[in-house]
Amino acid sequence: LPFNDLEKQVLALAKAIPEAQYAWRPGTGVRSVREVFLHIVNGNELLLNVAIKAPSREEVMKQIERNAKNEQEPASKEKIVGMLAESFASVRKAMQDVRSTAALTRDVDFFGTPAPLGGVLANIDTHIAEHLGQLIAYARVNGIVPPWSQPAK
């Protein structure tokens, strides 16, 4: 499953990047390494909420505002690795809980557009992959080789 690979790579990168580099950002107004990891955690939570709980638009907008504030949290590397692990476990559980075709094809409100639950859950993979790519670029610019790209010893 793509999700399993994404989880392994995000966690491996979170562990491989030195904590001192978590504050690095490529420019003003662009998320730092820490903020990207927190954005993945918050994005997973938001998309699961939309998929499973079907909140009102107002509730979603409030959650997006909270998420933006939470991304500014000065969390330690250790805390972020733990938050990522918990977040991925929540996504995995939600995906395992929704197994029937009927449930996966049920429409939910996806930011104002009806979308099948399965599509919203798949969007979690897309969101993680987008930010994993961003983190790989951040790591490489800072001379950090992603663990899965290192030559075998």
Side-chain angles (χ1 to χ4, degrees), residues 49-69:
N49 189 31
V50 168
I52 307 302
K53 297 181 182 172
S56 70
R57 178 154 178 76
E58 181 181 330
E59 291 169 324
V60 169
M61 296 313 291
K62 284 182 182 176
Q63 186 174 2
I64 289 170
E65 284 179 34
R66 277 192 313 273
N67 287 355
K69 288 178 187 170

Side-chain angles (χ1 to χ4, degrees), residues 60-141:
V60 169
M61 296 313 291
K62 284 182 182 176
Q63 186 174 2
I64 289 170
E65 284 179 34
R66 277 192 313 273
N67 287 355
K69 288 178 187 170
N70 290 342
E71 284 178 19
Q72 306 306 311
E73 182 180 332
S76 68
K77 174 180 173 174
E78 181 181 350
K79 181 174 181 179
I80 288 172
V81 169
M83 292 170 74
L84 285 163
E86 286 178 32
S87 176
F88 289 129
S90 295
V91 171
R92 178 174 288 98
K93 181 179 181 330
M95 289 180 174
Q96 289 170 346
D97 287 351
V98 181
R99 295 185 182 187
S100 73
T101 302
L104 289 171
T105 58
R106 174 179 57 85
D107 275 350
V108 296
D109 181 349
F110 189 60
F111 301 101
T113 304
L117 174 61
V120 175
L121 292 174
N123 197 275
I124 293 172
D125 284 356
T126 303
H127 184 255
I128 295 168
E130 173 186 351
H131 294 294
L132 174 59
Q134 181 181 13
L135 288 163
I136 291 168
Y138 283 18
R140 295 259 186 205
V141 164

